[in-house]
C-alpha cells in the first residue's frame, strides 16, 4: 500500500513537472527574445569604450549594424553605432541596459521592426514593444530626444507580400512620434523608391533586403539633416 502510494505520488510529481516544462517552453518559444544569438555581439558593444556624453546613438537591427560608413556619412556629427544582429524589438528590450544608458546620448536613433515583420509579428506587438523601448529610453536618458526611422519597404518585403504590415508598423511609428514629446519620425522610403513607388534596385544587395553603398547614401541624405536638427535641439535644452 505504501509502495503504491509512493509510486502514485512520484507519478503525480512527474506529471506536474512535465506540464510546467511544456508551458515554460511554449512561453519562451512565443514571447522570449532569442538571447542566445546576440549575447556575444552585445557583450562586445558593452565592452567598447563609452562615447563622450551628449552624442548620437544609433540602435537597431542589421540595417544599422551594417552601416559601416555611418561615421563618414554623418560627419562631423558624433555618432556611435550599437546595432546588433538581425534583432527584433523584443531583443532590443532584453538587451536595453547594455545598449542605451551608457551611451549618455542626447539623441537616440531607432531602426527596428523589419525582422519582426519577417517573423510574422503583428504591427500592434511591434509598436507596443517600440513604445516600451521609448519609455525606457526616456527614463534612462531624460534629456535625450528619440528619432524613429521607418521600416524600409525593401524588395524582399514586396516579393513576400509583407508591404501591408510594414506600412502598418510605420503608421504606428508616426503615431508614437505624434503623441510622445521628444520623439520624431523619419520616413526614408521615398528616397529609395521611384516616382511610381517601386523599389530602386541599386539600393539593395542581392538578398533584396540589406542596403548597398547607394542605399546608405540615400538613407544618410534623408536622416542627416533630421538627426542634426534634433541633436542640436536636445543639446540646447540640456541644463
Amino acid at each position: 500500500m505504501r509502495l503504491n502510494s509512493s509510486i502514485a505520488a512520484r507519478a503525480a510529481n512527474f506529471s506536474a513537472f512535465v506540464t510546467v516544462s511544456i508551458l515554460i517552453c511554449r512561453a519562451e518559444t512565443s514571447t522570449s527574445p532569442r538571447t542566445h544569438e546576440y549575447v556575444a555581439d552585445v557583450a562586445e558593444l558593452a565592452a567598447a569604450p563609452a562615447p563622450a556624453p551628449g552624442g548620437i546613438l544609433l540602435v537597431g537591427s542589421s540595417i544599422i549594424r551594417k552601416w559601416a560608413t555611418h561615421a563618414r556619412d554623418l560627419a562631423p556629427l558624433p555618432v556611435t553605432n550599437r546595432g546588433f544582429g538581425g534583432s527584433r524589438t523584443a531583443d532590443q528590450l532584453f538587451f536595453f541596459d547594455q545598449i542605451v544608458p551608457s551611451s549618455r546620448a542626447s539623441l537616440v536613433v531607432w531602426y527596428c521592426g523589419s525582422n519582426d515583420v519577417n517573423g510574422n509579428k503583428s504591427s500592434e506587438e511591434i509598436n507596443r514593444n517600440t513604445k516600451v523601448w521609448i519609455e525606457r529610453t526616456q527614463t534612462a536618458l531624460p534629456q535625450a530626444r528619440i528619432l524613429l526611422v521607418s521600416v524600409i519597404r525593401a524588395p524582399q518585403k514586396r516579393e513576400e507580400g509583407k508591404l501591408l504590415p510594414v506600412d502598418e508598423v510605420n503608421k504606428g511609428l508616426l503615431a508614437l512620434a505624434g503623441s510622445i514629446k521628444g520623439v520624431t519620425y523619419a520616413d526614408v522610403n521615398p528616397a529609395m523608391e521611384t516616382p511610381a513607388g517601386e523599389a530602386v534596385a541599386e539600393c539593395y544587395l542581392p538578398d533584396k533586403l540589406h542596403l548597398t553603398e547607394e542605399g546608405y547614401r540615400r538613407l544618410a541624405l534623408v536622416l542627416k539633416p533630421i538627426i542634426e536638427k534634433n541633436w542640436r535641439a536636445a543639446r540646447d535644452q540640456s541644463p
Side-chain angles (χ1 to χ4, degrees):
M1 194 69 173
R2 288 179 185 173
L3 181 59
N4 289 339
S5 298
S6 176
I7 293 173
R10 290 180 182 178
N13 289 337
F14 178 77
S15 177
F17 172 79
V18 170
T19 301
V20 171
S21 298
I22 291 172
L23 290 173
I24 291 174
C25 182
R26 287 175 178 171
E28 290 180 345
T29 301
S30 62
T31 63
S32 296
R34 299 150 301 157
T35 57
H36 61 285
E37 295 187 34
Y38 307 123
V39 168
D41 292 345
V42 173
E44 183 176 349
L45 293 173
I56 299 160
L57 176 66
L58 306 179
V59 300
S61 55
S62 55
I63 291 294
I64 295 295
R65 177 176 59 84
K66 291 175 176 287
W67 193 355
T69 58
H70 68 276
R72 182 193 72 194
D73 295 341
L74 300 175
L77 299 175
V79 180
T80 298
N81 188 329
R82 290 184 175 175
F84 64 90
S87 53
R88 298 178 183 178
T89 54
D91 302 314
Q92 292 294 330
L93 289 175
F94 185 86
F95 289 109
F96 177 89
D97 290 336
Q98 289 95 329
I99 296 294
V100 176
S102 64
S103 72
R104 301 173 293 177
S106 288
L107 175 66
V108 185
V109 181
W110 161 274
Y111 182 90
C112 199
S114 175
N115 295 308
D116 296 66
V117 171
N118 286 344
N120 297 315
K121 301 296 183 181
S122 69
S123 59
E124 291 81 10
E125 179 179 348
I126 297 167
N127 287 310
R128 184 168 59 249
N129 284 348
T130 303
K131 184 179 180 182
V132 173
W133 177 87
I134 291 171
E135 292 168 349
R136 292 183 66 180
T137 299
Q138 291 184 326
T139 297
L141 304 171
Q143 305 302 323
R145 291 197 172 198
I146 295 169
L147 175 60
L148 305 176
V149 180
S150 62
V151 175
I152 295 173
R153 304 172 86 243
Q156 175 259 340
K157 297 292 193 298
R158 299 166 188 264
E159 293 179 3
E160 295 185 8
K162 292 179 176 177
L163 278 189
L164 180 58
V166 167
D167 291 343
E168 289 300 316
V169 170
N170 289 337
K171 288 178 184 177
L173 296 178
L174 177 61
L176 287 172
S179 62
I180 303 175
K181 185 178 179 180
V183 180
T184 303
Y185 170 75
D187 186 1
V188 299
N189 282 300
M192 299 185 189
E193 294 178 343
T194 67
E198 298 298 321
V200 177
E202 64 180 317
C203 290
Y204 299 94
L205 293 173
D207 65 8
K208 300 183 180 181
L209 176 62
H210 295 100
L211 301 180
T212 60
E213 186 173 342
E214 173 62 15
Y216 280 115
R217 186 188 72 81
R218 295 185 182 217
L219 184 74
L221 282 176
V222 175
L223 290 183
K224 185 174 180 179
I226 301 173
I227 288 174
E228 184 167 13
K229 178 181 178 181
N230 281 274
W231 175 67
R232 294 194 182 281
R235 299 269 292 182
D236 290 344
Q237 292 175 3
S238 296

